[in-house]
Amino acid sequence: MKPSDMDDPAPTPPRISPSTSPDDRTHPPTMPPPPQQPSQILLHLNPPRQPASSPNIRLEVASDPKNLASLKHLNSLLLPVNYRENFYKDILTNPTDAALSRVAFWDSGISIVGGIRARWDAPETPPEDAAKRGGTIYLMTICVLSPFRRLGVALALLEDLLQTAEAWGVDEVFAHVWQENEDALEWYRKRGFTVDEGIVEGYYRKLRPDGARVVRLRICTTTTTTVA
């Protein structure tokens, strides 16, 4: 599906962060929530949290206007893609997108050092359990400033997303990775993701080769792997 959320849907190879996964498709229309009250699902994500396994890392919601502006600046610095305004606006206007978007701070710092953006895709058939959403979560972007890599920041952001996926009863979390980005593919493998055998040809318009590999993590039968 084209056009995409990006001004330039054909980025150069993502060398900034091995876990970068830019989306090359149209952001789908907002899906109606399941029968349960959305606030019952989202409330546990609203307060800032400090990952137990990473005491130096503090996560906050990206929907705070100041954090959102910082996330936009961070992405412009680190990602080889310019995302359209709706990519960020949806974090403010869509509670589901807000719940899946986080920024990371180091210690008591006031500047973000990393961020994550994902979206929820509703299932074709609602789950029998009305307290669960089902469906899938697509990990659109995850990146970390260079001095703070290999310190568990990306892992903390991913674990936060996976906790949400488990709470929502999501079937799987998946992402696209440039087919030549072996560092990114290995990063996901170490965290329990599997890599599809096939290649999505033509996913990146200007990259050569232009294909993407799909990485997936089943949530219903999988627990988070804590690899730093």
Side-chain angles (χ1 to χ4, degrees), residues 14-38:
R15 304 182 185 278
I16 299 300
S17 171
S19 48
T20 298
S21 177
D23 192 11
D24 195 36
R25 303 175 300 175
T26 303
H27 190 83
T30 301
M31 302 299 295
Q36 76 277 13
Q37 293 295 323

Side-chain angles (χ1 to χ4, degrees), residues 30-102:
T30 301
M31 302 299 295
Q36 76 277 13
Q37 293 295 323
S39 59
Q40 295 177 357
I41 292 178
L42 302 180
L43 279 177
H44 76 288
L45 296 171
N46 287 341
R49 65 169 78 182
Q50 189 174 49
S53 60
S54 306
N56 293 319
I57 302 169
R58 184 177 84 257
L59 303 185
E60 294 188 5
V61 294
S63 55
D64 178 280
K66 292 171 61 176
N67 288 345
L68 187 62
S70 297
L71 177 63
K72 183 177 181 180
H73 181 62
L74 181 77
N75 286 348
S76 70
L77 291 176
L78 299 185
L79 302 182
V81 176
N82 292 320
Y83 288 92
R84 298 175 188 249
E85 282 301 315
N86 283 344
F87 181 86
Y88 301 100
K89 182 180 178 181
D90 287 346
I91 298 175
L92 294 175
T93 60
N94 186 329
T96 299
D97 283 9
L100 300 176
S101 303
R102 292 283 179 269

Side-chain angles (χ1 to χ4, degrees), residues 77-142:
L77 291 176
L78 299 185
L79 302 182
V81 176
N82 292 320
Y83 288 92
R84 298 175 188 249
E85 282 301 315
N86 283 344
F87 181 86
Y88 301 100
K89 182 180 178 181
D90 287 346
I91 298 175
L92 294 175
T93 60
N94 186 329
T96 299
D97 283 9
L100 300 176
S101 303
R102 292 283 179 269
V103 293
F105 296 81
W106 186 261
D107 282 337
S108 58
I110 60 174
S111 299
I112 71 171
V113 300
I116 191 170
R117 168 78 162 91
R119 71 165 187 247
W120 172 67
D121 293 333
E124 294 183 3
T125 303
E128 294 182 1
D129 186 349
K132 302 296 184 180
R133 285 177 177 255
T136 60
I137 288 177
Y138 180 66
L139 200 172
M140 302 171 76
T141 61
I142 178 171

